[in-house]
Amino acid sequence: AATGPSSPLDHAGMHGYFGAEVLRLCRRMLGNSHDAEEARSETFLRAQQAAASWDGRPLRAWLLGIASHHCVDRLRRRALEGRLFDASDLAPDDLPAHAASPLSLLLARERSGQLEAALAVLDPKYRAPLVLRFLADQSYAEIAAALGVSEAQVAVLVFRAKAKLREALAGGASLRAGAKR
């Protein structure tokens, strides 16, 4: 018994079932809630317009692919327009935790907040491939096509992004450890 929308391409069903996940992806890629809301709306509009071309692959992957392509296009437009990337209004995710105890919920929120803060400081050229790879579950080939680079460049970008993310997370941990002393 599937728990997804009654008709796979039913707009209200898709939005209700996948809306939060698409919004999370857009927020992480674009860096702010307002742009993410617009991107989510555009994603579902494009999905309705492209319904005839749906190839039957998992609906989640198809929608996240549409969202990621749209977000990459928006990031490119930002770069062309010369605007600076501003992640100051990035709100923490309201992800439902998969833990039973209140302490586990608190720890999960703290880790999520740390990850969001670390992602927010990454340059978009590193953040985009990292989010596409690990949050949208895209292959290097899909990421390369979306970003207009080679698969080898994607591999380098993902490697460097993970290193920069580790540095950002370690920097936050060392700051907290220093504050406790």
Side-chain angles (χ1 to χ4, degrees):
T3 58
S6 58
S7 167
L9 298 177
D10 171 64
H11 179 74
M14 279 193 309
H15 195 279
Y17 195 67
F18 297 106
E21 193 168 2
V22 169
L23 180 63
R24 269 192 309 275
L25 173 72
C26 294
R27 187 180 301 135
R28 287 177 174 151
M29 287 192 69
L30 298 174
N32 72 60
S33 297
H34 177 72
D35 287 349
E37 289 283 348
E38 288 180 1
R40 176 177 60 177
S41 297
E42 183 67 24
T43 296
F44 286 103
L45 177 65
R46 289 180 180 195
Q48 281 303 115
Q49 292 170 342
S53 68
W54 179 45
D55 56 8
R57 67 180 156 160
L59 194 54
R60 175 188 177 273
W62 185 67
L63 283 171
L64 291 178
I66 293 171
S68 64
H69 283 96
H70 178 66
C71 290
V72 166
D73 289 345
R74 286 182 78 124
L75 288 170
R76 284 185 182 144
R77 276 194 302 272
R78 279 185 190 171
L80 288 174
E81 293 169 359
R83 289 187 277 156
L84 296 175
F85 185 78
D86 179 24
S88 62
D89 61 349
L90 182 64
D93 264 352
D94 295 324
L95 294 174
H98 297 288
S101 74
L103 178 59
S104 296
L105 289 171
L106 181 63
L107 292 172
R109 282 190 194 124
E110 182 179 320
R111 284 189 301 268
S112 177
Q114 292 166 353
L115 179 61
E116 290 295 335
L119 280 171
V121 299
L122 284 181
D123 185 297
K125 79 177 185 179
Y126 295 119
R127 182 182 326 140
L130 192 67
V131 168
L132 292 173
R133 178 71 183 127
F134 295 104
L135 299 175
D137 296 325
Q138 291 190 357
S139 69
Y140 282 12
E142 291 170 318
I143 297 167
L147 298 177
V149 298
S150 70
E151 286 186 52
Q153 288 172 308
V154 170
V156 169
L157 288 170
V158 168
F159 176 79
R160 289 180 181 165
K162 289 190 311 187
K164 289 181 181 296
L165 186 63
R166 274 192 293 276
E167 288 173 16
L169 288 169
S174 65
L175 290 175
R176 285 188 307 283
K180 290 180 183 178
R181 290 183 182 165

